[in-house]
Amino acid sequence: MVRASSSRSVQVLIIGAGPVGSLAAYQLAHAGIDVALFDDHAVPVLDYRASTFQPPTLDLLEPFGVTDALVRMGLPSPVIQYRDRREGPIGEIDLSVLSADTAYPYRLQCEQFKLTSWLQQRIAESPHANLLFGSPVVRFAADESGTTVELAGQEGSVWHGRYAIAADGARSTVRRAIGIEFEGYTHPEQFLVAGTSYDFASTMEDIRSVNYTSDPDEWFLLLRIPDMWRVVVPVPQAVASDEAMSSDYIQRCLQNISPSGGPFEILVSAIHRVHQRVASTYRRGSTFLAGDAAHVNNPLGGMGLNGGIHDALLLTDGLARVLHGEDESLLDGYEVRRRAVAIDDINASTERNKRLLEERDPLVRATNNRRLRQICSDPQAAHQHALDISMISSLRRIGTLRTPSA
Ligand SMILES: Cc1cc2nc3c(=O)[nH]c(=O)nc-3n(C[C@H](O)[C@H](O)[C@H](O)COP(=O)(O)OP(=O)(O)OC[C@H]3O[C@@H](n4cnc5c(N)ncnc54)[C@H](O)[C@@H]3O)c2cc1C
């Protein structure tokens, strides 16, 4: 129960100032809706997790000025390469084949904290937005009149909103408080992410900026981002987190990818527990889940944050229209469309990507590689594959994007 005391009211409360909550606040404030955005961190964090922005995300963000900013801060990567650690390159998909489908036929690599920081600077200047760091939401209550939150350690700091968006990440306090199940499973291995100043292209001359390399023992993802190269590798269950984060372990993983003749300069490193989970519902009364609070998946495919951005865009469009007087039923489509994509597309394809990378059976590996070669060498199949991996197919299916013939 939230303690009754003097409270402040806005139209929409947003819990969690990660990229999804920040985008939701930016969009609503832009539409003239009064919002309060709370985050438990005392100051903004440099979160390096996501770096891949998919083509339709850039299309959808363009009208709001966000894409121009992202493109200025990011690195366009049109080619995606599939490799096998033992066989070398298997094939490439050049997203330029999407030039009739999107204004941005490439993946944009840009660290997620750069987007969040850009959004928060604008939110802070908006007369419609309150941005509160150091404000963990600890109590949450909802009734017909809306939702009420209480902030930790701030007696009397109670906020009320007609609607609330829980964008408070995978461990969402709000999702737990309102009793929504987070269905799915947790992968047994963790993922190690390391960023280095070393230029892998100097020794691996045939690599591209985005590489997925399969291997039955230690697959890896190698990405060039604006400030460094990033490597993602699985950490076997038997290896403790401390050991995996040690310099020796990280150096060994990187030397195993490309011997550098000396120690790699490690700029950032982190270890992540990875899940495939989707909330059993995205709405309870006046409260909506968005982003990682609603769905989480492994990072193989660069889809989690993109999906969260698509959530925020659809939800804030509906909320703004309802708060400006349109019928509440407008909001019914949010869960129907976004939950279906999370289950049928984002979770399904990231699971498939992981299985392809880690496959141990030599015959299945050979079949997988043969199929990838066929896809990459057949223009029609390559185009369809590009539509699927860039999330255009799924956004068309739920009507967020129109097909060119429609
Ligand atoms: C290794 C890795 C690589 C990834 N790469 C990609 C990629 O390339 N492309 C992609 O699309 N996705 C990627 N992802 C996924 C992406 O990082 C997440 O989907 C994204 O961060 C989700 O954003 P969010 O705003 O929903 O949640 P978060 O970023 O988790 O933000 C939630 C915020 O809420 C705050 N909070 C939590 N509880 C409370 C509370 N009670 N009160 C107030 N505040 C609270 C948190 O402190 C945090 O600031 C990757 C993930 C990993 C692990």
Side-chain angles (χ1 to χ4, degrees):
M1 203 179 113
V2 173
R3 279 170 284 185
S5 59
S6 64
S7 73
R8 294 186 59 184
S9 282
V10 286
Q11 287 167 295
V12 182
L13 303 172
I14 302 170
I15 300 98
V20 174
S22 298
L23 178 65
Y26 173 81
Q27 292 291 103
L28 288 169
H30 193 73
I33 304 295
D34 291 328
V35 298
L37 173 61
F38 311 105
D39 200 86
D40 53 358
H41 290 103
V43 290
V45 285
L46 287 190
D47 191 335
Y48 275 88
R49 275 178 297 167
S51 61
T52 298
F53 289 85
Q54 301 282 0
T57 302
L58 301 173
D59 287 318
L60 293 169
L61 289 172
E62 186 187 69
F64 310 104
V66 184
T67 298
D68 270 359
L70 278 172
V71 170
R72 274 198 306 277
M73 298 184 286
L75 177 73
S77 303
V79 180
I80 293 158
Q81 189 181 57
Y82 300 105
R83 301 174 68 94
D84 180 299
R85 226 192 237 267
R86 294 147 202 219
E87 292 183 37
I90 300 296
E92 293 182 352
I93 293 289
D94 188 336
L95 296 180
S96 312
V97 297
L98 297 176
S99 52
D101 302 282
T102 167
Y104 303 90
Y106 51 78
R107 283 186 178 184
L108 188 77
Q109 299 301 330
C110 178
E111 303 86 334
Q112 72 178 64
F113 73 83
K114 292 183 179 170
L115 168 65
T116 312
S117 159
W118 186 90
L119 292 166
Q120 288 172 357
Q121 281 167 32
R122 271 123 204 108
I123 295 165
E125 289 162 5
S126 168
H128 293 288
N130 304 269
L131 173 57
L132 288 91
F133 283 99
S135 300
V137 168
V138 283
R139 287 194 189 78
F140 185 93
D143 59 27
E144 317 76 61
S145 72
T147 51
T148 307
V149 298
E150 185 177 321
L151 309 177
Q154 302 182 31
E155 187 68 36
S157 197
V158 172
W159 287 74
H160 183 265
R162 174 70 195 88
Y163 293 102
I165 300 176
D168 50 345
R171 296 199 192 107
S172 174
T173 307
V174 177
R175 189 187 63 235
R176 288 164 205 245
I178 55 182
I180 296 178
E181 291 297 317
F182 208 26
E183 296 165 347
Y185 65 92
T186 298
H187 291 287
E189 69 277 54
Q190 299 191 80
F191 285 23
L192 173 67
V193 185
T196 174
S197 56
Y198 181 76
D199 181 9
F200 283 96
S202 66
T203 42
M204 300 169 77
E205 283 161 18
D206 55 4
I207 59 163
R208 301 300 198 142
S209 296
V210 181
N211 299 269
Y212 292 95
T213 302
S214 67
D215 188 74
D217 298 324
E218 192 176 73
W219 54 262
F220 63 88
L221 164 61
L222 196 52
L223 281 183
R224 190 203 291 266
I225 63 172
D227 304 335
M228 62 187 84
W229 278 86
R230 282 180 96 193
V231 180
V232 181
V233 290
V235 177
Q237 265 180 287
V239 177
S241 303
D242 287 355
E243 185 189 341
M245 285 293 287
S246 69
S247 170
D248 283 356
Y249 191 90
I250 296 173
Q251 290 290 337
R252 184 205 59 75
C253 290
L254 299 189
Q255 296 291 351
N256 208 10
I257 290 170
S258 178
S260 65
F264 286 86
E265 184 191 22
I266 306 299
L267 303 175
V268 287
S269 59
I271 189 157
H272 298 277
R273 187 146 300 285
V274 180
H275 321 264
Q276 306 287 141
R277 293 183 186 275
V278 178
S280 54
T281 175
Y282 279 19
R283 178 178 186 178
R284 185 138 296 159
S286 54
T287 303
F288 296 83
L289 306 183
D292 275 17
H295 49 82
V296 281
N297 54 270
N298 76 56
L300 302 171
M303 294 188 173
L305 173 56
N306 283 271
I309 289 173
H310 305 159
D311 294 345
L313 291 174
L314 185 65
L315 179 57
T316 54
D317 177 64
L319 285 172
R321 288 165 61 185
V322 168
L323 287 163
H324 284 310
E326 292 190 47
D327 195 86
E328 248 240 339
S329 61
L330 251 182
L331 298 169
D332 294 346
Y334 173 65
E335 159 159 341
V336 176
R337 291 161 74 185
R338 296 304 314 157
R339 190 163 176 274
V341 166
I343 295 171
D344 299 335
D345 299 285
I346 299 181
N347 263 9
S349 58
T350 52
E351 273 177 342
R352 205 164 41 239
N353 291 342
K354 183 167 180 291
R355 276 200 307 275
L356 279 172
L357 286 178
E358 69 191 6
E359 180 58 54
R360 301 192 72 86
D361 183 326
L363 286 178
V364 179
R365 289 182 64 76
T367 308
N368 290 344
N369 285 346
R370 199 166 47 247
R371 207 179 134 263
L372 263 179
R373 282 194 185 95
Q374 277 166 0
I375 291 172
C376 294
S377 58
D378 170 2
Q380 214 179 332
H383 180 243
Q384 184 57 52
H385 187 73
L387 289 172
D388 295 344
I389 61 172
S390 65
M391 307 174 84
I392 292 176
S393 301
S394 59
L395 288 167
R396 283 183 180 164
R397 205 189 66 248
I398 61 163
T400 299
L401 295 176
R402 278 182 302 159
T403 47
S405 57

